[in-house]
Amino acid sequence: ESFSYLNHKNYRTDFAPFPQKHSFRRAHNQFADILVAGGALGLAAYGAMFASAIRAMVRYRGRAMGLFAIFALAAVLLGHAVQNMFNFDTLHTYVLFFFILAFISRVFSARRDVSDHQKPLVGGPSESHPWKIRKALGAIGVVLLAGGVVFAVNVVPLMPHVYLREGERLLGEGKQREALHSIQKATRAPARSEIEVLHYAAVLVHSSQPKDPNLQREFQQELGRLALSLEQRLQEEPTLRVFNYWALGEMYKSLYLFEKDSEYLERGEKILATVIEFNPRYPEIFYLMGEIKFLQQQEQAGTRFFERAYELEGDLGSFYERMGVSLIDRGKSEEGIEQFQRSLRFRDL
């Protein structure tokens, strides 16, 4: 699971002029993931799990299961391997994969190939009572330790996402205050520093429009806190996902419109300038930069960014629509409406 860390650490963002939809978080090939994260030895160890399972079935065939069952288990392993050439393992596939390996290890084991005369007689010598207690306590300890590791590794990191899903559901039901509390729990959970958690939480807060002025103020304060946290994480761990930066720029624009603090525009401009350096092909970044320039009363500079976005996108309707949005945000409603009318005439041209 260290593929993302290695990728962000070693990949130069100035070599990444890719569209926003392209993500380099995972290779979508489990074998490539393991090769990047664990090297040749790691990939060999991963392949050895498949090889050892098949070897055990072939070696002890007929002693535990029939030939058809062996073929079925081998087909399951082969199918899993083929799937991993185009995808990567998740918690669900890991559980199934290791369950199958454990089943094969238990059924096709050399320890089961014991003749009757080698088995201890009933009533014969047995282990002492204290030794049995120690073995039982040791087994319980191993089970508890394994359960703790599984909980810490697989369950705890998922809790922020559970809280976020709960917040999204509550927003859909109109329970905005309860949703805000759930979102705050997500960003204060152990994985709160994850860019994905901060991004999703900020998007949920940004998309909410409370009618209550006091609640609206709470949402804007939370959005400001999340935006600053997300900006800090993006500075510490630059990502190739342009959408993270674009969404952060939108949040800073929204915060400016609510609080009229020019510092938010400066932060948004700085974030978007960073994106343009390594991805100059994403039109939404130029549109948003143009809107920020309009809010900074630099209409000529803003228009140049809109023109650059049009060159990339080729949609004249979007060009006039974003001009209209910017003019309305500046308080020039009549000019903005005129631009909107033009956008309707030139849509998709």
Side-chain angles (χ1 to χ4, degrees):
E1 293 299 323
S2 58
F3 180 86
S4 300
Y5 169 78
L6 292 168
N7 179 74
H8 292 324
K9 180 180 179 181
N10 299 296
Y11 199 94
R12 290 181 56 183
T13 55
D14 55 322
F15 290 164
F18 298 106
Q20 176 266 331
K21 293 182 179 179
H22 289 217
S23 173
F24 293 86
R25 181 164 177 78
R26 299 297 294 267
H28 277 263
N29 184 313
Q30 182 70 12
F31 298 98
D33 267 17
I34 293 175
L35 182 61
V36 170
L41 291 178
L43 182 61
Y46 182 67
M49 291 193 294
F50 291 90
S52 61
I54 294 175
R55 177 179 178 275
M57 289 189 294
V58 172
R59 183 175 181 183
Y60 297 104
R61 63 186 183 278
R63 303 181 189 180
M65 281 189 167
L67 192 60
F68 176 79
I70 293 176
F71 274 119
L73 288 171
V76 170
L77 289 174
L78 180 61
H80 184 75
V82 171
Q83 171 193 285
N84 282 352
M85 294 179 183
F86 307 97
N87 211 328
F88 51 84
D89 275 317
T90 62
L91 176 60
H92 309 85
T93 58
Y94 272 132
V95 170
L96 291 175
F97 178 56
F98 286 107
F99 176 81
I100 292 171
L101 291 181
F103 177 79
I104 292 174
S105 176
R106 178 69 181 87
V107 175
F108 299 92
S109 173
R111 288 176 296 179
R112 293 180 57 87
D113 187 30
V114 179
S115 59
D116 292 337
H117 69 274
Q118 292 176 309
K119 297 178 181 179
L121 298 175
V122 178
S126 60
E127 297 173 336
S128 63
H129 185 67
W131 177 244
K132 288 183 177 180
I133 294 177
R134 286 196 294 270
K135 286 183 64 177
L137 292 176
I140 293 173
V142 170
V143 170
L144 292 176
L145 179 61
V149 170
V150 170
F151 182 80
V153 173
N154 294 318
V155 177
V156 173
L158 290 177
M159 291 310 298
H161 301 276
V162 173
Y163 289 130
L164 289 175
R165 290 295 182 184
E166 179 69 9
E168 184 178 23
R169 182 185 66 81
L170 291 170
L171 284 175
E173 296 176 355
K175 301 177 181 179
Q176 294 177 324
R177 189 174 299 279
E178 294 84 349
L180 181 60
H181 292 162
S182 183
I183 293 170
Q184 289 172 339
K185 287 182 181 179
T187 57
R188 290 169 173 78
R192 63 187 180 277
S193 61
E194 287 186 5
I195 290 178
E196 289 81 1
V197 172
L198 291 171
H199 172 84
Y200 188 26
V203 169
L204 286 178
V205 173
H206 183 235
S207 63
S208 305
Q209 300 294 332
K211 296 181 180 180
D212 183 350
N214 294 328
L215 186 58
Q216 187 180 30
R217 168 63 62 178
E218 290 183 33
F219 268 79
Q220 290 298 323
Q221 290 175 349
E222 182 66 15
L223 180 61
R225 185 186 71 82
L226 291 172
L228 291 174
S229 298
L230 181 58
E231 180 182 356
Q232 181 180 359
R233 291 294 293 115
L234 288 174
Q235 290 174 349
E236 294 173 355
E237 185 183 347
T239 175
L240 301 179
R241 298 181 66 182
V242 176
F243 188 71
N244 292 131
Y245 296 93
W246 172 80
L248 183 57
E250 283 280 2
M251 294 169 202
Y252 279 134
K253 175 192 168 186
S254 177
L255 287 166
Y256 168 78
L257 292 174
F258 185 80
E259 300 184 12
K260 302 302 180 182
D261 185 349
S262 59
E263 182 183 354
Y264 289 125
L265 293 181
E266 295 173 2
R267 286 182 174 275
E269 183 180 7
K270 181 180 178 181
I271 286 291
L272 298 178
T274 302
V275 181
I276 291 175
E277 289 182 3
F278 70 82
N279 192 338
R281 302 181 185 179
Y282 187 41
E284 282 296 329
I285 296 295
F286 289 95
Y287 276 131
L288 183 55
M289 182 69 94
E291 292 173 1
I292 289 177
K293 288 296 183 181
F294 265 76
L295 291 173
Q296 292 175 328
Q297 301 182 8
Q298 301 178 33
E299 294 188 10
Q300 292 184 350
T303 302
R304 287 195 294 270
F305 279 110
F306 287 154
E307 291 172 349
R308 176 56 180 157
Y310 170 68
E311 292 175 2
L312 294 169
E313 189 178 42
D315 187 350
L316 196 56
S318 294
F319 172 82
Y320 285 119
E321 180 181 343
R322 303 303 280 268
M323 285 281 290
V325 170
S326 299
L327 289 169
I328 290 175
D329 288 340
R330 280 286 314 279
K332 300 181 178 181
S333 300
E334 293 184 1
E335 296 181 35
I337 292 173
E338 181 181 349
Q339 297 297 326
F340 272 117
Q341 292 173 341
R342 288 184 180 179
S343 73
L344 295 176
R345 293 199 302 269
F346 293 101
R347 177 59 62 185
D348 297 327
L349 293 179

